[in-house]
Amino acid sequence: MSGLAAALEVVGARWALRIVEQLLDGPQRYGDLQRDLGVPTNMLATRLRELETAGVLRRLPLKHNTRAYALTERGLALRGAIDALARWGSAHVGEPAAGAADPQR
Amino acid sequence: MSGLAAALEVVGARWALRIVEQLLDGPQRYGDLQRDLGVPTNMLATRLRELETAGVLRRLPLKHNTRAYALTERGLALRGAIDALARWGSAHVGEPAAGAADPQR
């Protein structure tokens, strides 16, 4: 399996990279993640469980029965890829596509 | 919308980044893309149409009613993000997740 295919097995599902991006700045509580991302709660719970199983993030038990999540070393190592995708999105999405110069012509 | 959210709107769907990765080395015919990726043909057709609409790739009409696809400038600009994700996948997927050192402890 190629590196990209392996990566997408873990973080290719909808919302996964968005969740990791939110946690790059530090641990966050479940409720804050859900509010900031606007992700349906059942989807968030599923993705957090999958990312925890894959060793990308881990759960931090807090008082008053609340939970927070933090990236592991493996999760933090996604920063470069996430920043690169975000730069591409900012630079290239929203522009008109027509007439884009094409070096492969 | 954040840069990452915008990027994933265009290349977040299943197979999209895998298709772009295949075309980074140059134009490919539909049949070769399908064989190399092992993607179901209806999925491939849908993704190619979406990526074409988004200005990420374009269709190259060939003889004998075959089609090839090539990345545009916008598509080629994904190389950095794809390489970064592939490096992460090669380095971090498949390793045991337990006990990963966590700087955020």
Side-chain angles (χ1 to χ4, degrees), chain B residues 15 18 22 28 30-39:
Chain B
W15 295 104
R18 299 282 309 279
Q22 289 287 326
Q28 281 203 22
Y30 184 94
D32 297 332
L33 275 173
Q34 200 200 346
R35 190 201 54 229
D36 293 350
L37 287 172
V39 50

Side-chain angles (χ1 to χ4, degrees), chain B residues 29-79:
Chain B
R29 287 177 307 183
Y30 184 94
D32 297 332
L33 275 173
Q34 200 200 346
R35 190 201 54 229
D36 293 350
L37 287 172
V39 50
T41 187
N42 56 336
M43 174 77 81
L44 179 58
T46 303
R47 287 295 171 266
L48 286 171
R49 216 176 20 251
E50 289 166 355
L51 291 169
E52 191 176 0
T53 304
V56 169
L57 51 82
R58 62 193 185 86
R59 203 188 294 215
L60 304 178
L62 297 182
K63 290 192 220 84
H64 316 306
N65 198 20
T66 59
R67 287 164 293 164
Y69 294 84
L71 293 179
T72 60
E73 197 82 17
R74 176 177 291 182
L76 285 164
L78 277 163
R79 186 186 298 274

Side-chain angles (χ1 to χ4, degrees), chain A residues 1 19 50 68 72 75-77 79 82 90 94:
Chain A
M1 182 187 291
I19 292 166
E50 290 166 353
T72 59
L76 285 165
R79 187 185 298 275
I82 285 175
S90 303

Side-chain angles (χ1 to χ4, degrees), chain A residues 58 71 73-74 88 101-102, chain B residues 58 71 73-74 88 102-103:
Chain A
R58 62 192 185 87
L71 293 179
E73 197 83 14
R74 174 176 292 181
W88 184 83
D102 177 48
Chain B
R58 62 193 185 86
L71 293 179
E73 197 82 17
R74 176 177 291 182
W88 184 84
D102 178 44

Side-chain angles (χ1 to χ4, degrees), chain A residues 4-102:
Chain A
L4 180 64
L8 294 175
E9 286 276 319
V10 175
V11 292
R14 189 159 159 62
W15 295 105
L17 280 173
R18 298 282 309 280
I19 292 166
V20 174
E21 182 187 42
Q22 290 288 324
L23 295 174
L24 282 173
D25 299 331
Q28 281 202 23
R29 287 178 308 182
Y30 184 93
D32 297 331
L33 276 172
Q34 200 200 345
R35 191 200 54 229
D36 293 351
L37 287 172
V39 50
T41 187
N42 56 334
M43 174 77 82
L44 179 59
T46 302
R47 288 295 171 263
L48 288 170
R49 215 175 21 251
E50 290 166 353
L51 291 168
E52 190 176 0
T53 304
V56 169
L57 52 81
R58 62 192 185 87
R59 201 187 295 213
L60 304 178
L62 297 183
K63 288 193 223 82
H64 316 305
N65 198 18
T66 60
R67 286 166 291 163
Y69 293 86
L71 293 179
T72 59
E73 197 83 14
R74 174 176 292 181
L76 285 165
L78 277 162
R79 187 185 298 275
I82 285 175
D83 288 350
L85 260 178
R87 278 195 304 275
W88 184 83
S90 303
H92 291 281
V93 178
E95 276 173 45
D102 177 48

